[in-house]
């Protein structure tokens, strides 16, 4: 097979998205004739027409639509591979992706134990709602996730189970309850089923200001202060906290962090 090069895919995607050779060439910083020749050469390699060309516009053929979808996936995979490789070549720090409010106590104890151990490197915590995506994209070395999430392409180990609480402003009507059910939250205009991807301190500040109400792991309660109240939500199942990392990359520093997390979780 006469395999296309990565730059051929870049050229093709630019033309497909612009639907115009001139604009695509300008976007790519090249002249139009070499771009046109590159696309014609790509079509010959694939033995399939990718574009229907008229004097007014350029449209994708059915084969071109398929190749656009596949090319975007390939280019995204290449970008991810580059990021993961660069991270593997620079082991002077680790990035751990974590959702705010999940496993907060475990996270703090794990980081303290890791930093006190031999051979540790700086660990940066990246708070995000989609920690699995951060690991797959190579922007994080490992992640805290919930056991119900998709672990395709990842290795993982169970750490701990955490009950769920509602975090509400201290002056909110729900703060007066000893316990809640999910329907109580769903009827509240401040409730956000998916917490924003904020650091825990910022999330707590926004709750204290009366901007939102969220579900969180119960371990955050010792970091709330007097302006935010944690109320148990009795009909929401406890979450199994899992630590995950890519199957395809190895890192002694990351593996040491994982072992520390497991040891801390098992110590209670």
């Amino acid at each position: 097979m006469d395999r296309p090069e990565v730059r051929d895919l870049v050229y093709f995607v630019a033309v497909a998205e612009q639907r115009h050779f001139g604009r695509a060439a300008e976007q790519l910083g090249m002249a139009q004739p070499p771009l046109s020749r590159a696309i014609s050469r790509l079509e010959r390699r694939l033995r399939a027409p990718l574009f229907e060309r008229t004097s007014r516009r350029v449209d994708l053929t059915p084969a071109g639509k398929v190749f656009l979808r596949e090319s975007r996936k390939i280019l995204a995979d290449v970008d991810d591979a580059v990021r993961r490789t660069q991270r593997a070549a620079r082991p002077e720090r680790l990035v751990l992706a974590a959702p705010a409010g999940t496993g907060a106590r475990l996270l703090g104890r794990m980081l303290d134990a890791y930093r006190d151990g031999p051979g540790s490197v700086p660990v940066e915590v990246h708070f995000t709602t989609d920690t699995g995506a951060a690991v797959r994209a190579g922007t994080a070395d490992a992640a805290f996730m919930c056991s119900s999430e998709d672990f395709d392409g990842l290795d993982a180990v169970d750490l701990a189970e955490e009950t769920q609480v509602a975090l509400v402003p201290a002056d909110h009507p729900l703060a007066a309850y000893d316990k809640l059910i999910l329907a109580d939250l769903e009827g509240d205009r401040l409730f956000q089923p998916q917490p924003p991807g904020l650091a825990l301190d910022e999330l707590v500040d926004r709750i204290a200001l009366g901007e939102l109400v969220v579900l969180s792991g119960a371990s955050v309660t010792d970091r709330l202060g007097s302006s935010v109240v944690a109320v148990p939500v009795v009909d929401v199942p406890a979450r199994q906290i899992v630590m995950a990392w890519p199957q395809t990359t190895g890192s002694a520093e990351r593996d040491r962090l994982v072992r520390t997390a497991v040891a801390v979780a098992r110590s209670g």
Side-chain angles (χ1 to χ4, degrees):
M1 179 184 295
D2 192 4
R3 184 173 297 158
E5 300 177 7
V6 171
R7 66 179 176 180
D8 295 328
L9 306 186
V10 173
Y11 294 165
F12 167 71
V13 170
V15 176
E17 291 180 344
Q18 293 290 339
R19 294 293 203 273
H20 192 280
F21 277 87
R23 289 194 296 270
E26 183 177 352
Q27 174 187 319
L28 294 165
M30 63 188 298
Q32 181 175 333
L35 176 60
S36 298
R37 289 195 295 271
I39 296 299
S40 296
R41 184 168 57 250
L42 177 62
E43 289 177 314
R44 289 196 299 273
R45 283 180 170 178
L46 296 175
R47 299 176 185 175
L50 302 175
F51 295 105
E52 294 177 352
R53 302 164 176 83
T54 68
S55 58
R56 298 180 124 185
R57 58 180 298 163
V58 175
D59 288 319
L60 286 166
T61 64
K65 292 177 181 177
V66 172
F67 196 61
L68 176 59
R69 182 176 65 248
E70 298 300 324
S71 294
R72 284 170 169 162
K73 286 163 45 179
I74 292 169
L75 292 175
D77 287 343
V78 170
D79 289 342
D80 291 348
V82 169
R83 282 192 291 266
R84 287 193 293 267
T85 302
Q86 290 172 338
R87 292 198 59 78
R90 296 195 301 268
E92 68 272 11
R93 73 179 181 118
L94 293 171
V95 176
L96 175 66
T102 297
R105 186 178 298 123
L106 173 62
L107 175 61
R109 291 174 55 219
M110 178 199 71
L111 292 176
D112 287 343
Y114 175 76
R115 289 165 182 152
D116 291 341
S120 65
V121 298
V123 179
E124 175 186 329
V125 180
H126 172 56
F127 289 100
T128 176
T129 56
D130 194 345
T131 58
V135 174
R136 291 187 181 93
T139 57
D141 299 286
F144 274 13
M145 299 174 65
C146 294
S147 59
S148 59
E149 297 184 62
D150 176 19
F151 289 90
D152 183 43
L154 304 177
D155 284 328
V157 61
D158 289 343
L159 295 180
E161 191 174 78
E162 187 171 45
T163 57
Q164 299 297 290
V165 297
L167 302 184
V168 300
D171 58 355
H172 192 284
L174 294 179
Y177 287 77
D178 294 328
K179 58 186 177 181
L180 298 168
I181 59 174
L182 186 58
D184 296 324
L185 300 176
E186 292 173 337
D188 192 286
R189 63 179 182 81
L190 297 180
F191 178 56
Q192 292 190 17
Q194 185 66 51
L198 304 172
L200 181 57
D201 289 342
E202 184 179 353
L203 180 67
V204 171
D205 286 344
R206 289 186 57 184
I207 295 169
L209 291 171
E211 296 180 7
L212 69 162
V213 169
V214 300
L215 277 172
S216 174
S219 64
V220 304
T221 53
D222 56 359
R223 297 184 53 185
L224 297 182
S226 60
S227 299
V228 175
V229 174
V231 185
V233 184
V234 296
D235 62 343
V236 174
R239 290 184 179 182
Q240 182 68 41
I241 302 171
V242 173
M243 194 168 188
W245 59 95
Q247 292 177 341
T248 55
T249 58
S251 164
E253 292 79 12
R254 184 205 61 210
D255 293 346
R256 190 176 296 114
L257 182 66
V258 172
R259 289 195 298 270
T260 302
V262 172
V264 168
R266 290 177 179 173
S267 70

